Amino acid sequence: MPISSGFFLVLSAIFALIGLFGATVAEGYLYAYSLMLIGFGLFFGFGIIKRHFDAQDAARH
C-alpha cells in the first residue's frame, strides 16, 4: 500500500472518530452532520482498502 493511501486511511479514521465524538454530545443538525461525517469516514476508508485489493488482483491477472 502506498504511503499516500495509508495517510488517507488514517485521515478517514480520524474523520469517523470526530463524527463519533461529535454525535455523542450534539443535537439536531450537528447530530446529523456528525452521522454523515462517520459515514464519509467509513465509506472513504473502505474505498481505499477496496482500491488496494483491486490493484493487487489486477496485478495477478
Side-chain angles (χ1 to χ4, degrees):
M1 181 180 296
I3 191 79
S4 62
S5 292
F7 170 75
F8 285 115
L9 193 60
V10 169
L11 189 65
S12 67
I14 290 171
F15 284 158
L17 284 175
I18 289 171
L20 182 66
F21 290 136
T24 59
V25 297
E27 295 177 358
Y29 291 116
L30 189 57
Y31 182 74
Y33 177 76
S34 297
L35 291 180
M36 287 187 279
L37 196 58
I38 293 170
F40 172 76
L42 290 176
F43 285 123
F44 187 61
F46 284 130
I48 292 170
I49 294 169
K50 181 185 179 307
R51 191 178 326 143
H52 171 70
F53 284 112
D54 286 345
Q56 279 187 343
D57 189 43
R60 259 190 268 141
H61 295 290

